[in-house]
Amino acid sequence: MPAELEQISIDIKQLIATYGKERNALMPILHELEKKYHQIPDHAMQVIADMMGIHAVEVQDVVTFFHFYNMEQKGTFIIRMCKDMPCQMQEAKKLADQLEQKLGIKFGETTADGKFTLEWTSCIGMCDQGPAMLINEQPYTKVKPEEVSNILEKYRKENK
Amino acid sequence: MSNNEITLTIDDQKVTVPYGTTILKAAEKLGIKIPTLCFHEDLCISGACRMCVVEIEGFRTLQASCAYPITAPIVVRTSSPKITRARKNILGLILSDHYGDCYTCKKNMNCELQTLSKDYGIDAFCFGRKSKPEKETSKELKFGDNIDWPIQYDPEKCILCERCVRACTGYYMDNGVLGVSERSNNSKISTFKDFPLSRVNCINCGQCVTHCPTGALTERDDRAVVWKALTDPTKHVVIQTAPAPRAGIGECFGVEPGHSFTFEMNTALRCCGFDKVFDTNFSADLTIMEEGTELLIRLYKALVEKDASIKLPQFTSCSPGWVKYLEHFYPEFLDCASTAKSPQQMFGAIIKTYYAKLNNIDPKNIVSVALMPCTAKKFECDRPEMRASGFKDVDYGITTREMAQMFTEAGIDLPKMPKSDFDNPFGSATGSGVIFGATGGVMESALRTVIDLVTGEKVEDLYANADIIPVRGFEGVRYAEIPITKVGPVPAILKHLVPDWNWLKGVTLKVAVAHGTANARKVMEDIKAGGKFSECHFVEFMACPGGCLGGGGQPIPTSPQIRAKRAKAIYADDKGLKVRKSYENPAVLEIYEKFLTDGPCGHLSHKLLHTKYVARGKYIK
Amino acid sequence: MIKAINFNNLTFAAINAAEALKSALAKPASQIITEISDSKLRGCGGAGFPAGLKLSLLSKETNTPKYIICNADEGEPGTFKDREILTNYPDLVFAGMAIAAHATGATKGILYLRAEYNYMREHLENVITQYRNKDFDLIIRLGAGAYVCGEETSLIESLEGLRGEPRNRPPFPIQQGFLNQPTGVNNVETFAWITSIISKGAKWFNAVGTEKSFGYKLFSISGDCAKPGVYELPMGTTLAEMLKIAGGEGAKAVQVGGASGQLINAANFNRKLAFEDAPPSGSIMVFGAKRKMLDIAENFLDFFYDESCGQCTPCRKGNPKLLEGIKLLKEGKCSKEYLEQLIDLCETMQTASKCALGQSSPNAFLTIIKDFSEEYALKQ
């Protein structure tokens, strides 16, 4: 087995040791895998299924249901902009346009260097401080279009 | 709860039911039929389609009657203007996304969506209608694309009832091929990575097809190639018919389940142009001889020669769905599987060798067709190792449904056809062959022969009328013990294999029967863990619920009640037949005399009638 | 660090959670249930189920182990009160869970935290250690971006490692919940009030409110107002009063209870925030005069279309039809007949959908069609 698949198997064995091999350990295991690999690899779904005594397609059912898990590789940093009404009322569109421009991609796409994915997301609970967005787990609120460059620069420098 | 029954009111009528009964079932008791789409007797309750909604007094929202358990004396209304409008709106919503004309659909006149549209007087597409399919082209083949596989999927006809998903992994089956991915209106029935069925662990059992209410899941249609052969004057087209289709095909002609049309079918087939009509019971009996002998040899080697390499229990191998399941999920146990082919495939090999020679026909001009209750048989006859005759042993497997369609096209009203017998040299219907169609039938056939041949006595002395009841029935896993207290002489046909039966005296034969791969899994896990079933000598596995009579190629709809009626027909046929034990089948005895002269499991038998398996594993690449 | 802008001193700031828990553990379970019942506290997540009754029902279940689940999957657009509580007063929440466990005989607790709030996880994991012990196994589990998992049975399904699709009810979680065990699910704020009531007494809580809705409630106010933020208001506060406090006078309409709540036009701002009147679940979005109502309806329906689990036909297929209908209305291409068809569809969705998402997604659409007819024109 290629080394990267082997590593995935090792990771999952460790996660099963932490969270258990019952099906109700699935969500925390998927969360950790997503964090490390920025996706849920196919091999991972099969290994998890095998260890839990369920089928790979049943793991896929859950992975594809939740927006924060992905089967395709996403960027190291996922920028999720809130698309709901209170944020939209705080001129979220201007921020959205600026993000698209500075990243050179449209919403739903990932930059060619694999660093950033840009997505819309549902209300993230920052309605009093819109427009708001998440970059991975970090919330940014009351974001002005002119702040975008600095924010992105900070992440471009990171070597995660 | 002191009283475990509740009396409730449905449509102004009172009915008393056990605590926890659903409203749907309670209404049934009153003869009130509530419309459903996602509900199915065989499957766990979903409550998703919302067609079965009813009003309960005091509730603001409508409740799904298929899922609502009665725990209080509620007052229910199953029909009202509000409910009717809800059902019409739901149908309108489904139809707005349903692409395809009924005229060209395989399920025309047997589609639950079509029936409900008529029942609810749908006369307009109130939410619009899809004018073209949503085919997104991608370079790689994916689930839903047109590929050559026994099971076909058309996503445009899918109503997301998820019956196929629950059929594939649920009470009876544990195949794990189908799931639901994405959410909201992007939800779709998917395979792992949306790979085509040929790339995932699909065993071709066809339960998804028999549980699909519309034309989304159907079988690959092989009628055209069979018609082509039938109208080709250079071809000698023969067909073998299996017991389960004979017990089920009447349903395609509006007859109540539970009537066999074996002999009417022979006439109908000849009308269609088949040159010869053979009875698969012959090769079922042949399978018993081969597999029974194989079992006795294994027992001898294990118990007398103490050969540790012998694998027990021996598993039956005539269900191609079960075989593929074993190859994917428990490949380490492939050595347990009997090497005997299925009756269909044994017959195929015999037809293109023995029969061809006997009648001076060039086997390359023989087109061998099999009428089976099974979609997996289409895969089986295509297996590369099934060419023992030097040609493709069985050319085409046709399902009960396809056959009924062919009859209709040929203007044949099957129930009205005169009866006629099967063609020789393969003889006619035996009880031991007929019961192969029911779960437990292979086991019972095997036991009837083994008990007679080993004990020297008649199995009727142990089990009245040779009806081995302990292995019959619909319980998922059945177990029986048969103590061998007496032994008799070794019959001539087996004399070259064992000197005597003394080594079996005092042995208790332990057997088990499982139907549905979910039950197969239970038995396999028990065997893995060294449990009760690991000590069995012989286990019969059938992929489909009820055995072949519930196969993926049988008439739609299916239900536990329908399968019970088909089983009754099969066992009634068995009772009425003269020959009920495989070793007494004259056609079988003749072939060992004239052709397979080195006897069961001999050299020629191994070449033509035995096979090998493929360790496929369950990892999907 | 996210700083909330609040213009009231929230009651929570003055409660000593550890003390409240200590005093609760010294009382018999039945006394806790009586106190919470007497307070007339109702669930703060939207459904408004009487909190005391829920504790009482759970305590009567004999099948063990029993679970206490805190629903921190706050996802209703316009709602951020739980964010505030979890950020600044997590002690009250965990103490409330422990009090509920004591009252009901539950031995296991789970805080289901939405993935979008994972930034507060580390802090929560620090605080939780004081409230978990050998009698109460308390853990945090994350969601993964699905609003529908705020529905209690969907939440439970997701905890079990399944798709977050609502279950058939009955049976209810109290009888058969997480892993088919008796489970009591409550909103974050409900637990915080439970702790507060144990600390300050039922009489203190039910002294304010209306005849049917008692006590205090947190409201997240946002939109066209000068002072958006989390406010603590007594039940029965009118919308006009609320708008004055938040600086939202002159609003054209207010969406109360989130996208799945009620849209109330200016003529009705004398309505009260109470269970018997305007739904007091906690989200208030203020729409100023220049807002176009069809845009708002479109935004809400787009949200429901995204977040529907997809299980039941009315919601899965109905939301896209309503969304399409809004677009037709905006373009002036919707006929009177088709609008009537859509309104009929709304009634079907409201009564036949499997869960509250599908049952309430048509609400805003219906209100806008009825109360703001001047903002659209039908095709002639």
Side-chain angles (χ1 to χ4, degrees), chain B residues 50 62 85 89 97 182 184, chain C residues 163 305 317 344 348 351-352:
Chain B
R50 315 308 285 176
L62 301 172
R85 281 201 328 271
N89 278 332
D97 245 348
E182 312 283 331
S184 185
Chain C
R163 288 164 66 86
Y305 176 36
K317 296 241 168 275
D344 193 54
T348 295
T351 52

Side-chain angles (χ1 to χ4, degrees), chain B residues 24-274:
Chain B
L24 185 71
K25 291 286 165 191
E28 231 172 69
K29 251 185 121 170
L30 287 168
I32 298 170
K33 191 160 182 336
I34 300 176
T36 59
L37 269 176
C38 70
F39 175 78
H40 195 289
E41 297 276 1
D42 288 337
L43 309 173
C44 67
I45 291 171
S46 168
C49 71
R50 315 308 285 176
M51 275 304 284
C52 71
V53 288
V54 294
E55 283 177 21
I56 300 182
E57 212 174 78
F59 284 54
R60 177 187 77 83
T61 52
L62 301 172
Q63 302 298 315
S65 55
C66 68
Y68 196 93
I70 296 159
T71 56
I74 50 178
V75 177
V76 177
R77 201 144 289 286
T78 67
S79 189
S80 71
K82 180 154 97 173
I83 292 173
T84 302
R85 281 201 328 271
R87 292 183 184 154
K88 283 175 114 139
N89 278 332
I90 289 167
L91 290 169
L93 288 172
I94 294 174
L95 290 171
S96 73
D97 245 348
H98 197 79
Y99 176 75
D101 266 321
C102 293
Y103 300 116
T104 51
C105 179
K106 264 251 201 72
K107 297 291 283 292
N108 190 10
M109 305 285 278
N110 190 13
C111 167
E112 292 181 42
L113 179 63
Q114 202 182 30
T115 307
L116 284 172
S117 298
K118 172 156 195 326
D119 288 348
Y120 282 85
I122 301 295
D123 55 5
F125 293 97
C126 56
F127 295 109
R129 188 179 194 190
K130 211 171 187 179
S131 57
K132 57 178 167 39
E134 248 169 69
K135 298 258 189 240
E136 29 161 299
T137 45
S138 66
K139 286 180 293 183
E140 266 195 60
L141 275 177
K142 54 185 211 321
F143 181 56
D145 287 341
N146 219 344
I147 60 159
D148 183 19
W149 192 254
I151 313 293
Q152 304 280 308
Y153 176 59
D154 180 2
E156 300 295 337
K157 304 219 169 92
C158 180
I159 62 170
L160 252 299
C161 66
E162 300 180 24
R163 278 170 30 176
C164 54
V165 176
R166 290 177 280 141
C168 188
T169 309
Y171 290 149
Y172 289 110
M173 312 302 284
D174 189 53
N175 304 328
V177 173
L178 299 174
V180 184
S181 65
E182 312 283 331
R183 68 177 190 226
S184 185
N185 204 29
N186 302 321
S187 301
K188 57 186 168 119
I189 307 295
S190 313
T191 53
F192 186 66
K193 302 284 296 176
D194 253 354
F195 287 157
L197 290 172
S198 48
R199 240 175 121 176
V200 294
N201 303 329
C202 175
I203 67 173
N204 300 298
C205 66
Q207 293 307 304
C208 53
V209 175
T210 53
H211 289 81
C212 178
T214 67
L217 281 157
T218 54
E219 71 278 8
R220 184 187 71 208
D221 198 341
D222 287 328
R223 288 173 295 142
V225 282
V226 176
W227 279 129
K228 188 152 177 246
L230 286 169
T231 51
D232 184 342
T234 65
K235 298 291 178 200
H236 182 80
V237 191
V238 306
I239 187 166
Q240 51 168 307
T241 74
R246 296 168 352 200
I249 197 167
E251 293 161 42
C252 294
F253 291 88
V255 180
E256 271 288 301
H259 295 267
S260 292
F261 288 98
T262 309
F263 300 99
E264 291 85 344
M265 184 128 73
N266 291 344
T267 314
L269 289 167
R270 292 194 187 98
C271 283
C272 286
F274 285 95

Side-chain angles (χ1 to χ4, degrees), chain B residues 228-433:
Chain B
K228 188 152 177 246
L230 286 169
T231 51
D232 184 342
T234 65
K235 298 291 178 200
H236 182 80
V237 191
V238 306
I239 187 166
Q240 51 168 307
T241 74
R246 296 168 352 200
I249 197 167
E251 293 161 42
C252 294
F253 291 88
V255 180
E256 271 288 301
H259 295 267
S260 292
F261 288 98
T262 309
F263 300 99
E264 291 85 344
M265 184 128 73
N266 291 344
T267 314
L269 289 167
R270 292 194 187 98
C271 283
C272 286
F274 285 95
D275 294 300
K276 286 286 158 83
V277 182
F278 296 134
D279 185 352
T280 307
N281 286 354
F282 161 77
S283 50
D285 287 333
L286 196 61
T287 303
I288 292 298
M289 296 306 291
E290 293 294 324
E291 198 163 338
T293 305
E294 184 189 0
L295 175 64
L296 291 165
I297 294 175
R298 283 198 203 191
L299 288 173
Y300 185 80
K301 288 197 165 150
L303 299 175
V304 177
E305 292 176 3
K306 309 281 188 206
D307 184 346
S309 73
I310 291 298
K311 294 282 185 259
L312 285 172
Q314 176 170 307
F315 300 157
T316 57
S317 54
C318 48
S319 164
W322 153 246
V323 166
K324 195 160 192 275
Y325 180 82
L326 188 63
E327 290 176 328
H328 278 300
F329 293 96
Y330 297 97
E332 67 274 26
F333 284 94
L334 280 172
D335 285 339
C336 285
S338 161
T339 54
K341 288 181 182 175
S342 65
Q344 165 178 298
Q345 293 303 133
M346 283 197 184
F347 218 155
I350 294 287
I351 286 167
K352 291 195 181 180
T353 51
Y354 175 68
Y355 168 78
K357 202 155 173 210
L358 206 62
N359 290 277
N360 244 330
I361 304 171
D362 186 346
K364 79 172 199 301
N365 293 328
I366 297 180
V367 176
S368 182
V369 183
L371 169 60
M372 293 287 152
C374 180
T375 39
K377 291 289 181 192
K378 291 180 189 281
F379 180 83
E380 190 185 37
C381 66
D382 284 349
R383 288 180 74 124
E385 49 289 3
M386 298 297 181
R387 303 189 131 246
S389 63
F391 304 88
K392 193 172 171 211
D393 292 337
V394 175
D395 294 287
Y396 309 112
I398 292 277
T399 60
T400 316
R401 297 188 294 269
E402 286 163 279
M403 195 80 255
Q405 183 62 47
M406 288 177 76
F407 288 154
T408 313
E409 282 169 34
I412 293 168
D413 187 359
L414 182 67
K416 298 211 173 82
M417 295 302 279
K419 299 183 182 183
S420 60
D421 213 340
F422 289 98
D423 286 311
N424 275 320
F426 298 115
S428 189
T430 61
S432 43

Side-chain angles (χ1 to χ4, degrees), chain B residues 243 280-286 288 343 428-437 440-446 448-449 570 573-575 577-585 588:
Chain B
T280 307
N281 286 354
F282 161 77
S283 50
D285 287 333
L286 196 61
I288 292 298
S428 189
T430 61
S432 43
V434 139
I435 59 176
F436 263 59
V442 177
M443 180 59 70
E444 185 166 346
S445 262
R448 285 182 191 173
T449 286
I570 282 173
D573 284 348
D574 166 42
K575 248 195 162 57
L577 288 163
K578 207 173 72 144
V579 177
R580 299 175 68 222
K581 297 170 191 177
S582 307
Y583 76 93
E584 289 179 342
N585 184 336
V588 166

Side-chain angles (χ1 to χ4, degrees), chain A residues 5 8 12-13 22 30 41 49 54 76 118 122 147:
Chain A
L5 296 187
I8 293 172
I12 291 170
K13 278 198 187 77
E22 302 306 317
L30 290 174
I54 59 177
T76 311
L118 183 60
S122 295
E147 293 169 346

